[in-house]
Amino acid sequence: MATFPIRTYGDPVLRQQTFEVEEIDGRIARLAKNMIETMYAAPGTGLAANQVGVQKRVFVYDIGEGPQVVVNPVIKETDGEWTYEEGCLSVPGLSWPIVRPNAVHLVGVDLDGNEISIEADTLEGRVFQHELDHLNGVLVIEHLDDDQRREALKTLRLRTLYLGDPGETL
Ligand code: ZN
């Protein structure tokens, strides 16, 4: 097991598209294992593959019921509305109350290639939407209103000024 460095705001890989996993082989299993390790070390509730620089449609999460892996996830349906204070390992130290649908129906496959179909709400539903956003190159910042976004970008710019390029902080 090993941990990956987590890519942070400003790293272009967070904005790039990710690709469907065509074959679930040992490499994907290893990637998922190391992503889980990375998520726990951070610590975080979820982690998408492109947050560790891998452009594949895989995410891992643990909402307190043990680690889960979803390959090629798709959100089929959403319902309701829920406001939740949402942060992101790629935008460390910041969080905002974000409104999103409450319930989602997620489908995908697990590491054995079995189909997954999960109806989730509250935190689990939120994690699914957040990680799907990552895999589509979308950061939580894009859900902010104009004022919030301006503030957030100011904070992030200042941080880059003091700390150097993201990823080079010790
Ligand atoms: Zn995130």
Side-chain angles (χ1 to χ4, degrees), residues 51 87-90 130-131 134 139:
Q51 287 184 278
C88 177
L89 292 175
S90 293
H130 184 104
E131 302 314 327
H134 273 304
L139 285 173

Side-chain angles (χ1 to χ4, degrees), residues 31 35 47-59 135:
L31 167 69
M35 283 172 61
L47 189 70
N50 52 334
Q51 287 184 278
V52 296
V54 178
Q55 289 172 268
K56 290 192 190 315
R57 296 187 75 80
V58 177
F59 75 80
L135 296 178

